[in-house]
Amino acid sequence: MRVIVSEEIAQVCPVFVGACLDAQVVNGAYSEPLWHDIHQLEERLRQQLTTESVKELPSIAATRTIYKKCGKDPSRYRPASEQLIRRMLQGKELYQIDTLVDLINLASIAYGYSIGGFDADKFVGDTLTLGVGRAGEPYEGIGRGMLNIEGLPVYRDAQGGVGTPTSDHERTKITLQTTHLVVLINGYDGNEQRVVDNACYIQQLLRQYAASDGGTVSVYKTAGGTEIPRNNIK
């Protein structure tokens, strides 16, 4: 997929950097070793964070700032990474979905970035554009029904919205039948190295748990919608 960052996003976040991971995968219903990794991270985070301090993590704080600049209340429409970490800190179990979704959630929690995971075969066209949601724009969040995305950063394919930092769209969601995965990491803090590290971590998880070679990664930025191939990231 080609990913373009719109001028709308460039105006509110000139330092934005994202990573697009494209991989062939084999999904599964449940992975016990993966959930062992998730519970280990959960124990560490409970020692380090509170439900208030989680908002101060640079990756989450930057996303919340962009929500405010775009006109959205980040405490009402929380970024997905914040939702996941808060759930852990509140002593609640994470929802177990399937191996691909579970490992993407682990990677999001580990780095604090809101990460979109998609069945790439369900995209319309070969380009995704990151813009800002419009008033009345139809959008069905996964497990959330119709979601008001006005003022939310949103990725769109040729048909419409597919992903926001709060929730991805039902139309392009991962299922057990997914074999072509695209993952988008959103670095509103502008920390390119950390975004790339997050992508490398997902590649590692895909090799461990999804019978994948890790796929390829491209980095894209606000500066002119530049896409920087990093196909040697393994």
Side-chain angles (χ1 to χ4, degrees):
M1 293 299 296
R2 179 169 177 250
V3 186
I4 297 172
V5 181
S6 72
E7 184 60 28
E8 288 177 301
I9 294 295
Q11 288 178 356
V12 294
C13 188
V15 300
F16 175 85
V17 56
C20 175
L21 188 160
D22 190 310
Q24 296 298 313
V25 295
V26 177
N27 202 2
Y30 175 78
S31 169
E32 186 173 349
L34 172 60
W35 274 89
H36 175 73
D37 291 349
I38 291 172
H39 290 312
Q40 280 192 318
L41 178 59
E42 180 179 10
E43 290 178 12
R44 290 204 307 273
L45 291 182
R46 284 181 179 172
Q47 295 172 5
Q48 299 169 0
L49 297 171
T50 68
T51 53
E52 284 303 310
S53 66
V54 66
K55 294 186 293 188
E56 300 168 8
L57 292 175
S59 47
I60 291 176
T63 306
R64 290 174 62 89
T65 295
I66 296 307
Y67 274 37
K68 292 175 184 176
K69 287 184 177 181
C70 291
K72 210 66 168 176
D73 180 354
S75 294
R76 184 177 178 189
Y77 295 86
R78 296 186 192 277
S81 54
E82 183 184 349
Q83 294 175 40
L84 292 166
I85 297 173
R86 282 176 59 86
R87 188 171 182 83
M88 278 187 165
L89 297 176
Q90 290 167 348
K92 300 175 182 177
E93 282 288 328
L94 292 185
Y95 297 109
Q96 192 277 316
I97 308 298
D98 57 51
T99 297
L100 289 177
V101 174
D102 296 343
L103 73 82
I104 290 169
N105 284 344
L106 170 58
S108 180
I109 292 164
Y111 282 81
Y113 291 119
S114 289
I115 301 175
F118 309 90
D119 186 324
D121 291 337
K122 297 176 181 176
F123 287 141
V124 177
D126 62 0
T127 302
L128 296 174
T129 302
L130 177 60
V132 179
R134 298 182 287 265
E137 183 172 1
Y139 190 95
E140 185 178 0
I142 297 175
R144 301 174 66 110
M146 298 308 293
L147 183 67
N148 174 13
I149 65 167
E150 181 182 4
L152 282 180
V154 57
Y155 288 96
R156 299 182 181 94
D157 66 5
Q159 183 171 322
V162 297
T164 75
T166 291
S167 176
D168 293 330
H169 197 288
E170 282 279 353
R171 173 168 62 89
T172 50
K173 74 177 181 182
I174 294 165
T175 68
L176 288 174
Q177 288 70 48
T178 296
T179 58
H180 184 189
L181 176 71
V182 160
V183 176
L184 302 176
I185 303 169
N186 298 283
Y188 289 97
D189 59 356
N191 189 334
E192 181 173 346
Q193 186 57 59
R194 188 166 170 79
V195 168
V196 170
D197 288 346
N198 200 169
C200 291
Y201 180 50
I202 295 173
Q203 288 183 305
Q204 173 192 324
L205 293 174
L206 290 175
R207 294 188 197 103
Q208 284 182 268
Y209 302 117
S212 175
D213 69 357
T216 60
V217 174
S218 294
V219 173
Y220 52 97
K221 302 180 180 183
T222 50
T226 304
E227 183 175 317
I228 305 170
R230 288 181 175 268
N231 294 335
N232 292 326
I233 295 177
K234 290 294 183 184

